[in-house]
């Protein structure tokens, strides 16, 4: 007899339907076909042990399990549960009249308990799209899958619970999650606040501009000046995620298996801070079984690279294309997957190996040419994609001990949201552009028009400060954001002047 069950394979951040066909006939062997990897092939031992634990038997006949379509590689251990249920139906040990109405996924332990799976959210989205009645999966993943409405999400702890549910002997209430309720309750819970930061008003202003326009930032300054502290507080002033962005972000974390137990929707913008020893594959994604990297896990959020020159050159260079295209394509001989990577890059670095070049009080002990070599570790093309270069100076003792209340993240965020709303209206006809930083060159000419006084100022700045040609577009984009924060239709001279001061690393001879 032939039985059919349905599972799913995750490719990129999307899922594909997999049909698990089981045929029990004459003979004594077990065959697994349909391009399974080692983890899928090993399911025979797990399935047999789990079935025996609950008093069922593995058929001592010829069992053929086919995972269709046969040209897609099946990876991982999450096919255990549908294979076990398919074998039970094909060997006529149980009836299962509704088996084909559910997508079923789950890894079995030897005693029949279910272990969590990766990618439950994209699989649930695919199940609803294909018109299935429900999704049977491990209880730990049920919260994540229940984000999808119009789908019965059935969380089970053991193989026996799944059998009893499908036979109609056990009633399990489908898990329902009020996505909007979780979403709106989680929006205001920021872990860090700018109210904790004494002094550094110019850096806070740069962070506000970066948040309002989605600009990348590099902070350069001596150790202990507050670079990391400021970077960690950036997510607290970013505009809240839209429901669509929250779903996108949750999908990526679901595929990577980073959601944790009983997690549902990610409502906070992600903040990722990888160590400088990270490999290029871990940063951009990939591997034998392609997985999202740090740049995709920070999609719709912030990627913070502390001590930028300490990262390997190859690691930094692979970021150039994702920074421009806001997605990363992992290509292999038989498969090509796209992961979204629309993130804000925040980088920090010391000005030299000892950390005290340009320090107001301490003397730099680095030899001649060392500072320039240190800065040259970051290539021009990468710096080209960073809009704001900010010099961070140490906080004075008077400012550190001051009892004066500093501005909270909440009030800064209100200005940022108002600035973003201006941009959303401006780019309403361009679905690919959400903020000023994403403007292509042809839009910059149209949107960032300046008057004669502005042109004269920009020309003088480029000549006197030795600014490179690549700084021109960046200055215009940043000045447009500053104007939006001031609710100004025109880019004024003072907006341009402020934007010019954020190009310190473009100045010729900055490092001596």
């Amino acid at each position: 007899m032939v039985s059919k069950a349905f599972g799913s394979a995750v490719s990129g951040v999307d899922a594909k339907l997999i049909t698990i066909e089981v045929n029990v006939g004459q003979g004594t062997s077990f065959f697994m076909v349909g391009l399974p990897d080692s983890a899928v092939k090993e399911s025979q031992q797990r399935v047999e042990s789990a079935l025996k634990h609950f008093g069922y038997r593995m058929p001592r006949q010829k069992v053929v399990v086919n995972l269709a379509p046969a040209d897609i590689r099946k990876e991982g251990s999450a096919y255990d549960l549908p294979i076990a249920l398919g074998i039970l139906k094909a060997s006529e040990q149980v009836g299962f009249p509704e088996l084909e109405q559910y997508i079923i996924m789950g890894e079995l332990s030897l005693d029949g308990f279910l272990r969590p799976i990766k990618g439950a959210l994209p699989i649930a989205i695919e199940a609803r799209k294909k018109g299935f009645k429900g999704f049977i999966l491990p209880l730990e993943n049920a919260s994540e899958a229940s984000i999808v409405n119009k789908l019965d999400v059935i969380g089970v702890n053991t193989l026996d619970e799944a059998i009893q549910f499908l036979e109609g002997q056990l009633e399990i209430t489908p898990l329902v999650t009020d996505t909007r309720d979780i979403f709106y309750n989680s929006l205001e819970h920021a872990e860090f606040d700018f109210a904790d930061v004494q002094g550094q008003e110019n850096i806070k202003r740069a962070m506000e501009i970066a948040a309002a326009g989605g600009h990348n930032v590099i902070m350069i300054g001596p150790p202990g000046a507050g670079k990391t502290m400021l970077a960690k507080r950036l997510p607290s002033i970013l505009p809240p995620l839209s429901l669509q962005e929250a779903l996108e972000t949750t999908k990526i974390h679901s595929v990577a298996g980073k959601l944790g137990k009983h997690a549902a929707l990610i409502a906070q913008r992600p903040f990722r801070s990888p160590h400088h020893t990270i490999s290029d594959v871990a940063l951009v994604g990939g591997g034998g079984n392609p997985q999202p990297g740090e740049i995709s896990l920070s999609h719709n959020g912030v990627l913070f690279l502390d001590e930028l020159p300490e990262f390997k050159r190859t690691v930094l260079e692979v970021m150039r294309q994702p920074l421009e295209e806001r997605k990363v394509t992992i290509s292999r001989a038989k498969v090509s997957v796209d992961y979204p990577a629309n993130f804000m890059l925040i980088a920090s670095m010391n000005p030299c190996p000892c950390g005290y070049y340009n320090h107001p009080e301490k003397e730099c002990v680095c030899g001649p040419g060392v500072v320039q070599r240190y800065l040259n570790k970051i290539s021009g093309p990468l710096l080209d994609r960073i809009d704001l270069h900010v010099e961070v100076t140490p906080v004075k003792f008077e400012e550190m001990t001051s009892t004066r209340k500093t501005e909270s993240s909440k009030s800064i965020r209100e200005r940022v949201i108002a600035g973003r709303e201006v941009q959303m209206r401006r780019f309403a006809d361009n679905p690919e552009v959400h903020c000023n930083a994403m403007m292509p060159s042809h839009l910059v000419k149209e949107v960032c028009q300046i008057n004669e006084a502005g042109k004269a100022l920009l020309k003088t700045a480029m000549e006197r400060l030795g600014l490179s040609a690549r700084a021109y577009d960046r200055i215009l984009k940043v000045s447009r954001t500053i104007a939006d924060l001031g609710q100004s239709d025109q880019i004024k001279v003072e907006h341009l002047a402020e934007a010019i001061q954020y190009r310190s690393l473009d100045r010729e001879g900055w490092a001596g």
Side-chain angles (χ1 to χ4, degrees):
M1 183 182 170
V2 177
S3 72
K4 274 187 188 177
F6 292 96
S8 188
V10 176
S11 174
V13 289
D14 297 310
K16 294 174 182 173
L17 186 66
I18 301 294
T19 306
I20 295 115
E21 300 169 330
V22 182
N23 182 26
V24 177
Q26 288 185 341
T28 55
S29 45
F30 185 97
F31 295 101
M32 180 90 68
V33 295
L35 217 58
D37 73 348
S38 298
V40 182
K41 285 178 184 171
E42 287 166 359
S43 68
Q44 179 189 353
Q45 313 303 327
R46 294 190 294 270
V47 167
E48 185 169 353
S49 176
L51 288 175
K52 283 181 179 174
H53 187 80
F54 292 114
Y56 299 96
R57 60 179 172 80
M58 190 75 166
R60 292 293 168 245
Q61 295 163 276
K62 183 181 177 183
V63 178
V64 180
V65 178
N66 178 40
L67 307 170
D71 60 339
I72 295 175
R73 186 155 182 79
K74 322 302 181 306
E75 294 168 329
S77 52
Y79 298 100
D80 292 0
L81 184 58
I83 289 170
L85 295 172
I87 287 171
L88 284 174
K89 187 174 182 183
S91 59
E92 299 182 339
Q93 295 180 64
V94 287
F96 295 156
E98 292 193 338
L99 183 63
E100 293 180 28
Q101 294 183 30
Y102 290 89
I103 274 188
I104 304 163
M105 294 296 279
E107 179 190 336
L108 286 170
S109 61
L110 294 180
D111 60 358
F113 277 81
L114 286 169
R115 292 197 172 100
I117 61 170
K118 290 181 181 179
L121 179 56
I123 294 170
I125 292 167
E126 181 69 7
R128 187 182 67 179
K129 199 188 291 179
K130 289 284 192 284
F132 283 89
K133 180 182 178 181
F135 181 15
I136 299 172
L137 75 167
L139 190 60
E140 283 185 27
N141 297 111
S143 300
E144 174 190 339
S146 64
I147 292 169
V148 179
N149 56 11
K150 298 177 186 171
L151 183 77
D152 291 353
V153 175
I154 308 296
V156 291
N157 273 316
T158 64
L159 169 63
D160 196 42
E161 279 183 26
I163 294 167
Q164 289 185 50
F165 170 76
L166 286 165
E167 283 200 298
Q169 296 172 6
L170 176 67
E171 193 173 316
I172 299 175
T173 307
L175 188 64
V176 178
T177 298
D178 188 341
T179 314
R180 292 179 187 279
D181 186 48
I182 292 176
F183 180 64
Y184 291 115
N185 283 340
S186 307
L187 285 179
E188 298 302 322
H189 300 302
E191 192 178 349
F192 301 105
D193 197 293
F194 271 103
D196 307 331
V197 183
Q198 294 291 342
Q200 304 291 25
E201 298 306 322
N202 59 325
I203 318 298
K204 288 183 194 172
R205 170 66 177 168
M207 288 292 192
E208 182 182 332
I209 294 164
H215 301 289
N216 301 321
V217 183
I218 184 166
M219 293 181 283
I220 181 165
K227 302 185 292 294
T228 306
M229 188 183 187
L230 287 154
K232 283 184 176 175
R233 280 153 181 75
L234 180 64
S236 67
I237 62 169
L238 286 170
L241 285 168
S242 67
L243 197 52
Q244 183 60 38
E245 285 176 328
L247 278 167
E248 274 178 20
T249 308
T250 309
K251 260 173 89 171
I252 297 165
H253 285 251
S254 170
V255 167
K258 304 278 186 190
L259 274 183
K261 287 184 179 181
H262 307 294
L265 192 70
I266 292 177
Q268 299 279 324
R269 290 191 181 271
F271 179 87
R272 305 291 298 185
S273 179
H275 193 258
H276 63 256
T277 54
I278 192 171
S279 69
D280 43 1
V281 170
L283 187 71
V284 298
N289 175 15
Q291 288 285 300
E294 287 292 331
I295 61 172
S296 295
L297 292 170
S298 53
H299 177 62
N300 291 325
V302 175
L303 178 68
F304 176 46
L305 301 183
D306 204 0
E307 304 302 342
L308 192 66
E310 302 303 330
F311 284 79
K312 292 198 289 283
R313 181 84 177 220
T314 53
V315 170
L316 296 178
E317 295 310 299
V318 292
M319 282 206 317
R320 279 156 53 174
Q321 184 201 11
L323 276 169
E324 205 68 36
E325 296 186 2
R326 301 189 183 269
K327 67 172 185 178
V328 61
T329 304
I330 311 293
S331 296
R332 296 289 178 267
K334 288 187 178 179
V335 67
S336 179
V337 295
D338 284 343
Y339 292 117
N342 182 15
F343 60 93
M344 273 179 70
L345 174 64
I346 307 297
S348 73
M349 61 180 284
N350 294 329
C352 65
C354 82
Y356 296 109
Y357 179 79
N358 266 0
H359 194 283
E361 292 156 12
K362 295 187 181 179
E363 198 172 330
C364 173
V365 295
C366 298
V370 171
V371 179
Q372 192 61 54
R373 275 200 304 277
Y374 188 72
L375 291 175
N376 284 347
K377 286 185 178 182
I378 305 157
S379 69
L382 182 64
L383 272 180
D384 179 26
R385 289 159 172 81
I386 299 177
D387 302 354
L388 287 91
H389 307 162
V390 189
E391 290 180 63
V392 184
T393 51
V395 183
K396 294 190 175 98
F397 180 77
E398 294 75 23
E399 287 178 328
M400 267 195 285
T401 53
S402 170
T403 52
R404 183 175 62 89
K405 274 198 168 184
T406 56
E407 194 174 19
S408 71
S409 291
K410 192 177 179 182
S411 56
I412 300 172
R413 190 188 208 189
E414 284 167 6
R415 295 197 295 271
V416 168
I417 292 170
R420 280 281 179 111
E421 282 170 356
V422 173
Q423 293 165 53
M424 284 175 77
R425 288 194 295 273
R426 178 184 300 133
F427 303 124
D429 299 331
N430 291 280
E432 297 299 311
V433 182
H434 306 298
C435 54
N436 289 336
M438 297 171 78
M439 272 192 284
S441 296
H442 68 274
L443 265 181
V444 174
K445 290 176 183 172
E446 185 185 316
V447 171
C448 304
Q449 294 182 358
I450 50 176
N451 57 24
E452 291 305 315
K455 284 177 184 172
L457 172 69
L458 200 47
K459 186 184 177 193
T460 308
M462 293 191 78
E463 287 171 356
R464 285 195 185 170
L465 299 175
L467 294 176
S468 63
R470 68 172 177 252
Y472 178 76
D473 261 18
R474 305 284 164 184
I475 288 171
L476 287 178
K477 286 182 185 180
V478 173
S479 58
R480 180 64 267 172
T481 301
I482 296 167
D484 291 340
L485 277 169
Q487 299 294 311
S488 167
D489 293 335
Q490 303 296 320
I491 297 175
K492 297 177 182 171
V493 173
E494 57 266 30
H495 302 145
L496 269 171
E498 188 176 355
I500 289 163
Q501 72 170 1
Y502 296 127
R503 296 302 300 183
S504 56
L505 291 180
D506 270 337
R507 294 173 197 163
E508 289 176 2
W510 187 88

